[in-house]
Amino acid sequence: MSNIPETGRTRRVTIRLVVLQILVLSLLGTLGGRLWYLQIRNGSQYTAQASNNHIREVVSPAIRGEILDASGQVLAGNQTKLVVSVSRTSLLEQKDHGKAVLTRLAQVLGMNPKDVQDKVRLCDAKTPQPCWNGSPYQPIPVTDQATTQQAMQIMERGEDFPGITAQPTALRQYPGPDGANMAQVLGYLSPVTDDEVTKTANQSGKNKYLPSDQIGRAGLESVYDNDLRGTTGVDRLEVDNLGRVIGSAGTTPAQPGDNVVTSLDARVQKVVEDNLNQAMVDARSTFDTVTNQNFVADSGAAIVMDVHTGRIIAMASAPTYDPNLWVGGISAKDYANLTNQASNYPLLNRAIQGQSAPGSTFKVVSTSAAVQAGYSLDGHYPCPSSLTIGGREFKNFEGESAGDISLEKALEISCDTVFYGLSYDQWMKDGGIHPKNPADWFYKTAHQFGLGAKTGIDLPAEVPGRVPDRQWKTDFFNANKDAWCKQAAGGGTDYATQIARENCVDGNVMRAGDSVNYAIGQGDTLVTPIQMATIYSALANGGTLYKPSVAKAIVTPGGQLVRDIAPQVSGKLPDDQKTLQYIDQATAGVITEGTAAWKFTGAGWPQDKIQLHAKTGTAEVYGKQTTSWLTTYSKDYAVVMTISQAGTGSGGSGDAVRRIYQALYGVDDKGNIDQTKALLPTPQTALPKFNPDGTAILQPASYSYDYPSAPGHSAVYTDLLALEPALRTPTGRGRA
C-alpha cells in the first residue's frame, strides 16, 4: 500500500510550503511596518521634504564689505561691472536646449561659442573646467567684461536672448590708493571648494558656504572673512516635476558685509613699497667683492609699526603681485607664474613668513642676556680682530680691532668678538660640552624677547622662527642623524659633508662654536621681520611687547562701530629701566657714530631734533650673498627692513629706511623739517569719521576723530546703486 497522502504531497513538501508561507507573511509584516513608519509616524516629516523637493533656491550674493586704511580710504572694495549671465532653466525649455541662443550670445560678446557653452555646463567628476559648480537654478555668469553696447544689444533684443541678462554687479577690486599695492596684506578671493561646502555644514545640515561663494584665501580677506562676507540672499522658486519655474515661495534679501578699518596708511605704504623696491634695484647695481658679481637682491620685506600699540602702519613684501589677478577667477597661466620658482613665490608675505638669520640686529638680545648673566654694563670687554675657539678662528666681520670697549661701543660699531667672548665665557660657566644645570642665559633671553614663537599678528600663516637652544639641538639631531651619517659615509670633502660628518658624531651637543655664532645672530637662529619690529618697538616704548595687529575695528556699511580691536600686550622685556636706557643710548650712537652714521647723520639727518635709534645687521648665509638687516626706531615708529642677498645692513637698506623716516616726519635731503610735508608725524589713534551716506571724511591721518553713529551706505557702492536702483535693499546698501 502507498504512503503518499491523498493530496499528493509528501511530508517534506508540506514542511517547505509552511516555511515559505511563514517567510511571505514575515516579509509582508515588515513591509507593512515600514509603511506605517513612513506614512503615519513620520508622515508629516516626509510630506514636508517632498514639498521641499519642489522648491529651488536662487542665491543673491551679498556685497562684500570694504577694507579701509586708517583715514578711511578704500584698500579693497568693489567695482561695478556689467556681468552677462545665463539661466539654465530657460535654456532647457528651448527645443535645442539653448544652443542657438548661446551661439548668438557668443557672436555679440566676441567669444568662441564652445567657450560659452562650456561655461554654462554643470560641473561633475567627469567634466573639466570651465564649468558651473553652483546651483543649476542660479544665473550662471559668462563674462564680467561686457561693454555697454553689448549689454544694450542683449537687453533690447530680449526675444533673441531668452534667459540672458546683462546687469551691473559688484566685483572685488583692489584700487591701491596712492598707488599702494599691499597684495600680501590684503589677500585675495577665490571660489569655495566642494570640501569646504560640505565640511562647514552645521548640525541642522545647513551649509556655511554655497557652491557659488567666493571666500578670502590670504591676508585680511581670509582672517576677517566672516565679517566681510555678509549674509547671502535667497530667492525661493517653485518648480514642477520637470524643473520648470511655476511661482515664487518667498525672498530673503542679502545683507551686505561689514567693513574692516585698519591701522595701515596708504600713503606711507606707497613710500615703503617704493623704497624697498628701489633699495633692491640699487643693490643689484652694486658689486659684491666676495662673490665677484653684483648683489642679487632677490627678496625683501619692510615694516612700519606704531611702537605704542603694535599696530602696523605699513607692511611691504617683495617680490609682489597684482591681487586683481584673482578677481573673477585666476587663469592657469597667471597661477603658474605666481607659484613657480622662477617668480620667487610672490604669494609669500616675507614680513611674517620670511625667516633668516638676524645678524648683528640680534646683539640687543645678547646684550640683555649678558646683563642677566651678571656681566656689568660699566665693564669693558676686548674687541680683537679675531678669536680662536675650539681650534677655529672667529673674526670680526671686517677684521677690525678696537681694544677694550664697553657694551655700548660694541653695539655702536657692531664688534662681533666682544659678543663671541661673552658667549664663550658663559658657555664655559654652563659646563661646556658636559653641562650640569646650565643657566643658558643667551637662549632664555631670546625666548623672553618673544623669539622662537609667533607674534600672533592678525594675518594668516605666520611662522615662528627658531631659537636653537638645547631642546632644539636634540630634536634636530634625532630627526637628521641618519641622513648626516649617510652623507658622511660618502667620503666627500665639501663643506656640507664636513658639517654632516661633525653632526653625525655629536650634532646633539651644544658646542662652543654654536654658542658664539648664536650670540651675533648667526648659525641656526632664524627670525622674521615682524618679530624684530616687535622687539625694537618694545625697546622704544620702555619694554612692552605688543601683539602686532593690522585691523583696528569692524564697522557697519554706514560707519557704526560693530567692535573695536584694541591693542594687546603679549609680554615684557626682561630688562630693567637702566638696561633699556643703556641700549637706547647705544642704538642712538649707531646713528651718530656707528655703523649707520654714514647713511643718516652723515647724510643730513637732524638727529638733534628727531632722534633715531638703529642696529645694523649683515647675516652670512652659506652658498649665498649676505642678507641686509636694518632695525630702527624713533619715539613713534619702528622701521625694519631686510633684503636677501643685498650686502651690509646699512649699505643695502640704509638709504631706503632714511627716506621712509623723511616721508613720515617731513624731512628733506638737507635735514630741514617741513611739518606740512610730513605724512604721519604721529600715529593716528582714532577711527575715521563717516558721512551719513557711509563715505569716509578723509582728513590728515594725524587728525583726532570722534566716532559717528549715523547710518548710511559705503561710498564704493554708490556707483552700483546709481546704475541699478532696483538693486537697493532696505539696509541702504546695494546688493549684487
Side-chain angles (χ1 to χ4, degrees):
M1 180 179 293
S2 173
N3 293 324
I4 300 174
E6 294 181 1
T7 58
R9 293 184 298 185
T10 65
R11 180 179 179 82
R12 180 178 297 176
V13 171
T14 300
I15 292 173
R16 288 179 177 176
L17 288 173
V18 171
V19 170
L20 182 62
Q21 289 172 352
I22 293 173
L23 179 62
V24 170
L25 290 173
S26 297
L27 292 174
L28 290 173
T30 301
L31 179 61
R34 182 62 177 167
L35 288 173
W36 173 85
Y37 178 83
L38 294 175
Q39 296 186 1
I40 299 177
R41 180 178 176 179
N42 282 8
S44 59
Q45 174 186 342
Y46 289 105
T47 299
Q49 290 184 1
S51 176
N52 287 338
N53 286 339
H54 296 286
I55 303 296
R56 296 294 182 266
E57 294 184 344
V58 177
V59 176
S60 300
I63 288 183
R64 193 170 179 86
E66 304 164 338
I67 301 175
L68 310 174
D69 85 345
S71 63
Q73 289 201 74
V74 179
L75 305 178
N78 300 288
Q79 182 182 30
T80 302
K81 289 190 175 182
L82 284 171
V83 176
V84 176
S85 302
V86 174
S87 168
R88 277 185 57 85
T89 301
S90 178
L91 294 182
L92 294 176
E93 292 176 348
Q94 299 168 34
K95 292 182 179 180
D96 63 352
H97 288 182
K99 184 175 181 179
V101 172
L102 294 179
T103 300
R104 287 194 294 271
L105 178 62
Q107 291 173 346
V108 171
L109 298 177
M111 298 175 64
N112 187 311
K114 184 179 183 304
D115 292 340
V116 175
Q117 292 170 13
D118 287 347
K119 284 194 172 188
V120 301
R121 63 185 178 179
L122 301 180
C123 292
D124 57 33
K126 298 180 180 179
T127 304
Q129 292 283 350
C131 57
W132 175 245
N133 194 38
S135 166
Y137 298 95
Q138 184 82 16
I140 302 172
V142 172
T143 180
D144 60 9
Q145 302 296 321
T147 65
T148 304
Q149 183 177 4
Q150 290 168 337
M152 291 297 292
Q153 289 185 55
I154 294 168
M155 301 310 292
E156 289 179 354
R157 295 163 51 195
E159 67 281 2
D160 293 331
F161 298 100
I164 310 297
T165 59
Q167 61 184 8
T169 304
L171 297 176
R172 204 55 163 173
Q173 183 188 34
Y174 302 93
D178 298 304
N181 180 268
M182 305 189 193
Q184 292 88 354
V185 179
L186 296 175
Y188 56 87
L189 306 180
S190 70
V192 68
T193 65
D194 291 339
D195 285 345
E196 288 169 329
V197 171
T198 56
K199 289 180 179 178
T200 57
N202 58 26
Q203 293 180 349
S204 66
K206 185 176 181 180
N207 293 325
K208 175 181 178 181
Y209 301 121
L210 297 170
S212 58
D213 280 350
Q214 298 265 323
I215 62 175
R217 291 296 183 193
L220 297 172
E221 293 277 29
S222 171
V223 175
Y224 295 98
D225 185 73
N226 288 338
D227 297 294
L228 292 164
R229 64 184 298 101
T231 304
T232 302
V234 179
D235 293 331
R236 297 172 181 82
L237 304 177
E238 296 179 354
V239 298
D240 60 17
N241 59 352
L242 296 178
R244 294 173 297 193
V245 178
I246 58 176
S248 174
T251 298
T252 301
Q255 298 297 318
D258 291 323
N259 298 337
V260 176
V261 178
T262 71
S263 55
L264 298 167
D265 187 289
R267 303 164 306 161
V268 177
Q269 177 75 23
K270 172 64 172 172
V271 170
V272 172
E273 289 176 357
D274 287 349
N275 279 286
L276 174 61
N277 180 67
Q278 187 60 51
M280 295 174 68
V281 171
D282 292 343
R284 294 178 192 131
S285 63
T286 304
F287 188 72
D288 179 11
T289 57
V290 176
T291 60
N292 291 318
Q293 64 180 37
N294 284 6
F295 286 105
V296 175
D298 53 357
S299 62
I303 298 171
V304 179
M305 179 183 284
D306 178 350
V307 301
H308 303 293
T309 61
R311 285 174 168 155
I312 304 299
I313 309 300
M315 176 181 285
S317 178
T320 190
Y321 66 96
D322 180 5
N324 289 298
L325 291 173
W326 296 88
V327 176
I330 192 169
S331 69
K333 180 181 179 182
D334 286 335
Y335 184 76
N337 289 338
L338 293 179
T339 55
N340 63 30
Q341 187 174 1
S343 67
N344 203 9
Y345 311 108
L347 294 179
L348 289 176
N349 184 350
R350 285 172 166 83
I352 65 171
Q353 296 174 295
Q355 302 180 106
S356 66
S360 294
T361 62
F362 187 77
K363 288 174 182 173
V364 295
V365 180
S366 294
T367 299
S368 175
V371 173
Q372 292 201 83
Y375 298 93
S376 174
L377 290 176
D378 299 322
H380 283 70
Y381 306 91
C383 177
S385 60
S386 66
L387 284 178
T388 300
I389 299 173
R392 292 179 59 186
E393 186 179 33
F394 293 84
K395 298 181 179 181
N396 269 332
F397 181 71
E398 294 181 350
E400 73 278 7
S401 174
D404 289 352
I405 60 175
S406 65
L407 286 177
E408 178 182 340
K409 193 66 175 179
L411 286 173
E412 283 183 10
I413 67 174
S414 205
C415 177
D416 292 340
T417 50
V418 165
F419 293 95
Y420 288 150
L422 290 170
S423 181
Y424 179 68
D425 186 62
Q426 185 60 38
W427 178 79
M428 290 293 290
K429 290 178 180 178
D430 283 339
I433 59 173
H434 302 293
K436 293 182 180 179
N437 300 317
D440 283 340
W441 284 113
F442 281 78
Y443 300 99
K444 289 180 180 178
T445 303
H447 287 296
Q448 291 171 329
F449 271 68
L451 296 177
K454 297 178 181 179
T455 64
I457 188 172
D458 53 344
L459 290 174
E462 182 189 4
V463 297
R466 182 168 69 205
V467 175
D469 53 19
R470 295 181 193 275
Q471 184 61 55
W472 178 85
K473 289 280 288 185
T474 299
D475 295 342
F476 195 63
F477 175 77
N478 292 336
N480 294 279
K481 179 182 179 181
D482 292 342
W484 286 332
C485 294
K486 182 178 180 180
Q487 183 177 355
T493 58
D494 59 286
Y495 178 76
T497 302
Q498 293 177 36
I499 296 298
R501 190 173 295 116
E502 292 179 11
N503 287 338
C504 175
V505 177
D506 60 356
N508 59 336
V509 175
M510 185 67 74
R511 296 177 290 237
D514 296 324
S515 291
V516 299
N517 265 328
Y518 168 80
I520 64 163
Q522 292 287 171
D524 294 310
T525 308
L526 293 176
V527 302
T528 63
I530 192 63
Q531 288 174 327
M532 300 310 285
T534 302
I535 287 173
Y536 278 79
S537 289
L539 292 173
N541 67 35
T544 301
L545 290 164
Y546 282 98
K547 179 180 177 180
S549 61
V550 182
K552 291 174 68 175
I554 307 299
V555 301
T556 67
Q560 295 173 307
L561 182 65
V562 175
R563 74 175 186 274
D564 183 55
I565 303 174
Q568 296 182 38
V569 174
S570 61
K572 291 282 188 178
L573 297 183
D575 303 309
D576 59 22
Q577 288 303 307
K578 179 181 178 181
T579 304
L580 287 173
Q581 290 170 6
Y582 187 91
I583 294 175
D584 197 60
Q585 183 173 320
T587 52
V590 174
I591 292 289
T592 58
E593 301 176 12
T595 53
W598 66 300
K599 291 295 185 180
F600 285 87
T601 53
W605 179 261
Q607 183 73 352
D608 58 331
K609 297 182 178 64
I610 304 173
Q611 188 176 78
L612 299 185
H613 306 255
K615 187 69 199 77
T616 57
T618 307
E620 298 180 64
V621 182
Y622 175 69
K624 293 186 176 182
Q625 296 166 313
T626 54
T627 297
S628 170
W629 277 93
L630 185 54
T631 49
T632 68
Y633 63 89
S634 68
K635 64 180 180 63
D636 306 295
Y637 304 105
V639 178
V640 170
M641 182 174 289
T642 181
I643 306 174
S644 170
Q645 305 196 84
T648 65
S650 56
S653 303
D655 287 331
V657 171
R658 187 191 70 250
R659 286 192 292 262
I660 292 171
Y661 278 114
Q662 286 181 257
L664 286 168
Y665 291 113
V667 179
D668 65 20
D669 291 337
K670 295 181 180 180
N672 300 312
I673 302 172
D674 186 347
Q675 289 282 356
T676 64
K677 295 182 179 179
L679 290 184
L680 203 62
T682 58
Q684 180 176 341
T685 57
L687 296 174
K689 280 185 175 181
F690 293 91
N691 290 307
D693 67 351
T695 59
I697 303 174
L698 298 180
Q699 296 279 358
S702 57
Y703 184 85
S704 179
Y705 301 102
D706 295 322
Y707 210 82
S709 58
H713 62 269
S714 187
V716 76
Y717 307 104
T718 303
D719 293 340
L720 176 62
L721 297 174
L723 282 169
E724 187 57 72
L727 296 180
R728 293 181 185 271
T729 65
T731 62
R733 283 281 291 274
R735 63 178 176 89

